[in-house]
Amino acid sequence: LVLEGDNCVFDGMIYRNGEAFQPSCEYQCTCRDGQIGCLPRCNLDLLLPGPDCPFPRKVRVPGECCEKWICDPKDEVLLGGFAMAAYRQEATLGIDVSDSSANCIEQTTEWSACSKSCGMGFSTRVTNRNQQCEMVKQTRLCMIRPCENEEPSDKKGKKCIRTKKSLKAVRFEYKNCTSVQTYKPRYCGLCNDGRCCTPHNTKTVQVEFRCPQGKGLKKPMMLINTCVCHNNCPQSNNAFFQPSDLTSSEAKI
């Protein structure tokens, strides 16, 4: 005896168990026992910022379903006060017909460049990774390098030192607060041939700070894994954004 699975309902249409359909040109979906599973038909590879393409973004092409990657000069991507970089979509999309929020396709921008070329700054991104599927701005602290007067090293004849690790454990400082833990962070080095070194691969960690009067707070902060040296140097330290208040637009990660 073969038992038939439950039908699926999507956008007012009824689909039989096992039936495949395309709700849009971008997705191929299948009804599986009352649940709808979808796979993207477009190439969703994420184009990370690099020396040859520091600000990639996807654009709609008239007459074509799938978006295409293009490389923009910096001035054209300053939208809403921060750099809108590549959108990232999940490889698979599971739709639970009983939960309308599951129709949400996740979109998350890359982190913008750090607001300071040395010392403590911050970067932002936009994501809808929340139950409401609403685009919200997130902020994280970042430090590309300390602001000490460091001269580019000519060690072994190199013109650029990409990544330097702090030789001693340090505590991060933010608004008169000091990190509870000590860290040995990696920094981006300096060049003596006109190039810039900026973070290429990073991670975000929660840093706990202890503040005056015994107060404490936690802030997401960028830690650098690797840096890259290139000629796409920012025109100024605040080339990306100049927020009026760091705390007013924060969202938890």
Side-chain angles (χ1 to χ4, degrees), residues 151-196:
E151 290 297 321
S153 171
D154 57 359
K155 179 182 175 183
K156 297 180 183 177
K158 287 185 177 179
K159 294 181 179 179
C160 287
I161 301 297
R162 282 193 300 177
T163 310
K164 301 172 68 174
K165 187 166 185 177
S166 176
L167 298 177
K168 60 181 180 179
V170 298
R171 295 184 191 271
F172 296 123
E173 294 186 1
Y174 166 73
K175 287 190 174 180
N176 297 326
C177 304
T178 305
S179 66
V180 175
Q181 283 185 281
T182 59
Y183 298 84
K184 281 191 175 181
R186 290 186 178 92
Y187 298 124
C188 294
L190 296 169
C191 299
N192 58 17
D193 61 357
R195 285 187 290 169
C196 306

Side-chain angles (χ1 to χ4, degrees), residues 5 29 31 47 98 106 108 116 120 131 133 135 142-143 147 151 164 198 203 226-227 246:
C29 299
C31 174
L47 187 62
S98 65
E106 182 189 312
T108 302
K116 298 281 185 69
M120 188 67 78
Q131 287 189 331
C133 192
M135 297 300 283
C142 52
M143 183 185 290
C147 282
E151 290 297 321
K164 301 172 68 174
T198 55
K203 63 181 177 181
T226 60
C227 301
L246 179 61

Side-chain angles (χ1 to χ4, degrees), residues 29-247:
C29 299
T30 306
C31 174
R32 301 190 191 100
D33 195 23
Q35 300 292 314
I36 297 173
C38 299
L39 290 173
R41 300 179 65 243
C42 297
N43 179 9
L44 297 180
D45 288 345
L46 176 65
L47 187 62
L48 291 173
D52 299 326
C53 186
F55 303 102
R57 69 183 178 97
K58 277 184 173 179
V59 296
R60 289 275 179 197
V61 180
E64 294 189 25
C65 172
C66 299
E67 294 177 317
K68 297 287 179 67
W69 286 109
I70 63 169
C71 293
D72 263 349
K74 176 175 62 218
D75 294 341
E76 293 181 14
V77 293
L78 301 183
L79 304 177
F82 44 85
M84 295 286 287
Y87 276 108
R88 179 174 62 240
Q89 293 180 330
E90 291 297 293
T92 58
L93 173 67
I95 298 175
D96 181 356
V97 293
S98 65
D99 183 5
S100 60
S101 69
N103 276 313
C104 178
I105 299 175
E106 182 189 312
Q107 297 182 105
T108 302
T109 67
E110 286 299 294
W111 288 103
S112 67
C114 195
S115 62
K116 298 281 185 69
S117 61
C118 73
M120 188 67 78
F122 43 87
S123 62
T124 61
R125 71 176 181 182
V126 180
T127 183
N128 64 353
R129 192 187 299 166
N130 53 63
Q131 287 189 331
Q132 292 75 34
C133 192
E134 292 179 355
M135 297 300 283
V136 296
K137 184 161 77 168
Q138 296 177 333
T139 303
R140 70 175 179 178
L141 301 174
C142 52
M143 183 185 290
I144 298 178
R145 61 183 66 84
C147 282
E148 301 152 4
N149 290 326
E150 294 183 353
E151 290 297 321
S153 171
D154 57 359
K155 179 182 175 183
K156 297 180 183 177
K158 287 185 177 179
K159 294 181 179 179
C160 287
I161 301 297
R162 282 193 300 177
T163 310
K164 301 172 68 174
K165 187 166 185 177
S166 176
L167 298 177
K168 60 181 180 179
V170 298
R171 295 184 191 271
F172 296 123
E173 294 186 1
Y174 166 73
K175 287 190 174 180
N176 297 326
C177 304
T178 305
S179 66
V180 175
Q181 283 185 281
T182 59
Y183 298 84
K184 281 191 175 181
R186 290 186 178 92
Y187 298 124
C188 294
L190 296 169
C191 299
N192 58 17
D193 61 357
R195 285 187 290 169
C196 306
C197 278
T198 55
H200 182 63
N201 184 277
T202 67
K203 63 181 177 181
T204 303
V205 298
Q206 291 288 341
V207 176
E208 185 175 355
F209 291 89
R210 187 175 290 119
C211 305
Q213 289 88 42
K215 292 181 180 178
L217 56 91
K218 286 186 178 180
K219 293 286 180 183
M221 181 167 178
M222 173 191 81
L223 290 185
I224 296 171
N225 292 324
T226 60
C227 301
V228 64
C229 298
H230 55 84
N231 290 309
N232 294 293
C233 300
Q235 298 299 312
S236 67
N237 293 349
N238 298 314
F240 286 86
F241 49 86
Q242 189 65 50
S244 56
D245 182 5
L246 179 61
T247 58

